[in-house]
Amino acid sequence: MSGLMLNLDYEPISGGKSGKSRGNAKHERFLGRRHYLEQKGFLKDKQNKKRNKNKQKNKKKYMQFNGGDQSNPGAIFPKVTSYLPNKTSEPSGSAQMFSTFSFPSTASTSQRHPTDQAAPRTLGPLKYVAMDCEMVGTGPKGCRNELARCSIVNYEGDVIYDKYIKPIDPVTDFRTRWSGIRRRDLLHAIPFEHAQKEIVKIITGKVVVGHAINNDFKALKYFHPACQTRDTARIPLLNQKAGLPVNEMVSLKRLTKAILKKDIQTGKGGHSSVEDAKATMELYKVVETMWEQKLSALSLPAEAMDLAQNQKI
C-alpha cells in the first residue's frame, strides 16, 4: 500500500506546540490513516496475504521435516508396515508383531539414492516386481514429462500390467523414437488418475525394481519407500560385472548387452516398456543375493532389533 497517498486534515491539538502535543497530533494522524484504510478494506487484504504467506512457509517447513515435497498434486505417499519375527523362538503362524516405519522418499526431490537405504531384515517375504514407464512431452515444445505407458512384470518376468495412459495435459511431443508411443496408442488410453490407482495398488508393499526408477515414480506422482526400491542404474555390482566404472550411470541397453548378452531397444520403433522391465528384473537377479546381503548390513539399528526381539508376543 506504499503507493497510496492520503491527504487528511485534522483539527490542531489544543495546548500549544509542545513536544508532547506534537506527539499526540502525530499519533492522531496515524490512527486516522489506519481507520481510513480499515474502512476501505486495504488493511484486511494485506493481513490476509501475510497470513497466507506464513501458512505456506510453515507448510513447506513441515514437508521438508517429513522427508518429501507433498505439494505435487495427486502425489501419493505410502507407509511401510514391517513385520518383526521373534528371533528367540521358532517362527509360528501367529508369532509376528508389526510396526510402522516412515522411510525417506525415493522421488527426485529426495537427496538420497534408493540404494543408499537399508533393506530391513524385518520387512519379511515381500514380493518383487519390475516396472518401466514410457513418457511423452507436454507443454511448450514438450518440455514436461507425462506418463503414457506403464508395464510391470513379476519376479519370473511375466507381464502383470501393461496399459497406455492418457496424460493429464495435451501431448505436444510423442517422442516416438524413444517412447514408442504414437497418437493412435492414446486414443483409447485410460485416464492418468485411474492408472495411478491401479499401479499403486500393485506395487504397494512390494520391492520395485527399475532402471533410473526415480523418473518413473516422478511421472507416476508416487513416492515409493526407499527400502523397497532397487535401482539397477545405481547398483555398483552390476557395473563391476559389466567391467564398467562403479560410479558411472550406465544405460539399461548397455548393461543388458554386457551382462545378459542380449540386444534391447533396437530398431526405429522406439522402446518397449515390457522389454525394458523384463531386462531390468533379469539384471537384478544376477546380483540379487550379493546385493541383498550388502543391504542387510545396513538394516535397522541394533537397539531396534533387540527391542523387537525382547518383546513378548
Side-chain angles (χ1 to χ4, degrees):
M1 298 295 108
S2 61
L4 182 65
M5 301 295 293
L6 296 179
N7 186 13
L8 303 177
D9 295 327
Y10 296 93
E11 292 294 330
I13 305 299
S14 60
K17 296 185 178 180
S18 65
K20 185 176 181 180
S21 297
R22 287 195 299 271
N24 290 338
K26 185 176 181 180
H27 182 64
E28 290 293 335
R29 288 195 298 273
F30 168 76
L31 292 178
R33 286 195 295 268
R34 183 178 180 86
H35 181 67
Y36 175 81
L37 292 174
E38 287 177 346
Q39 285 182 332
K40 295 296 183 180
F42 294 132
L43 278 184
K44 187 175 181 181
D45 292 341
K46 187 175 182 180
Q47 290 170 351
N48 288 337
K49 288 180 180 179
K50 186 175 181 180
R51 192 179 297 113
N52 292 334
K53 185 177 180 180
N54 291 335
K55 285 183 179 180
Q56 292 294 333
K57 186 182 296 184
N58 293 336
K59 183 179 179 182
K60 184 176 181 181
K61 289 181 179 179
Y62 172 81
M63 291 185 297
Q64 290 174 346
F65 178 79
N66 284 274
D69 179 9
Q70 300 185 21
S71 62
N72 192 358
I76 299 176
F77 297 79
K79 288 185 178 179
V80 182
T81 299
S82 61
Y83 294 88
L84 307 177
N86 182 8
K87 304 257 182 187
T88 59
S89 61
E90 291 296 324
S92 61
S94 61
Q96 281 187 331
M97 54 186 171
F98 64 89
S99 59
T100 302
F101 298 90
S102 295
F103 293 98
S105 159
T106 61
S108 60
T109 54
S110 174
Q111 295 180 352
R112 292 190 176 187
H113 299 312
T115 51
D116 294 335
Q117 298 294 327
R121 291 164 292 182
T122 56
L123 281 174
L126 294 174
K127 295 182 179 179
Y128 286 70
V129 295
M131 182 176 75
D132 188 79
C133 298
E134 300 296 343
M135 274 73 82
V136 293
T138 62
K141 299 182 179 180
C143 61
R144 292 194 299 269
N145 290 330
E146 287 206 38
L147 188 64
R149 184 183 180 184
C150 179
S151 302
I152 304 174
V153 301
N154 60 17
Y155 188 80
E156 289 74 29
D158 301 322
V159 179
I160 59 177
Y161 188 90
D162 181 30
K163 290 185 179 181
Y164 290 104
I165 301 162
K166 185 177 181 180
I168 298 174
D169 298 319
V171 179
T172 54
D173 186 357
F174 286 90
R175 305 174 183 172
T176 305
R177 179 181 174 185
W178 298 278
S179 69
I181 305 295
R182 294 166 175 78
R183 186 183 301 274
R184 63 174 180 267
D185 297 328
L186 303 182
L187 292 178
H188 304 288
I190 64 173
F192 172 81
E193 293 81 4
H194 187 188
Q196 184 190 51
K197 292 179 181 178
E198 292 180 343
I199 298 166
V200 169
K201 185 177 180 180
I202 293 173
I203 66 179
T204 297
K206 296 182 176 67
V207 174
V208 181
V209 182
H211 197 80
I213 190 69
N214 284 351
N215 296 328
D216 297 335
F217 287 147
K218 187 175 181 180
L220 187 59
K221 296 186 179 181
Y222 171 76
F223 296 78
H224 200 65
C227 65
Q228 294 180 357
T229 303
R230 304 293 181 269
D231 192 340
T232 53
R234 299 187 181 277
I235 298 181
L237 291 175
L238 286 173
N239 289 29
Q240 290 177 4
K241 284 189 173 293
L244 299 170
V246 172
N247 296 327
E248 183 179 344
M249 283 281 292
V250 185
S251 68
L252 178 62
K253 180 176 182 177
R254 193 175 173 190
L255 279 178
T256 303
K257 180 64 174 179
I259 298 175
L260 303 178
K261 310 303 180 185
K262 293 182 179 180
D263 292 314
I264 63 171
Q265 302 174 357
T266 58
K268 298 181 180 180
H271 299 181
S272 166
S273 51
V274 171
E275 181 183 54
D276 290 353
K278 288 183 176 182
T280 303
M281 181 61 82
E282 286 188 58
L283 285 172
Y284 173 72
K285 290 164 75 172
V286 171
V287 296
E288 177 184 2
T289 302
M290 294 179 62
W291 188 237
E292 293 302 326
Q293 287 176 352
K294 283 182 175 291
L295 292 181
S296 66
L298 303 173
S299 188
L300 294 176
E303 294 81 4
M305 291 298 297
D306 293 339
L307 178 64
Q309 293 171 6
N310 294 331
Q311 289 182 7
K312 294 182 180 180
I313 301 176

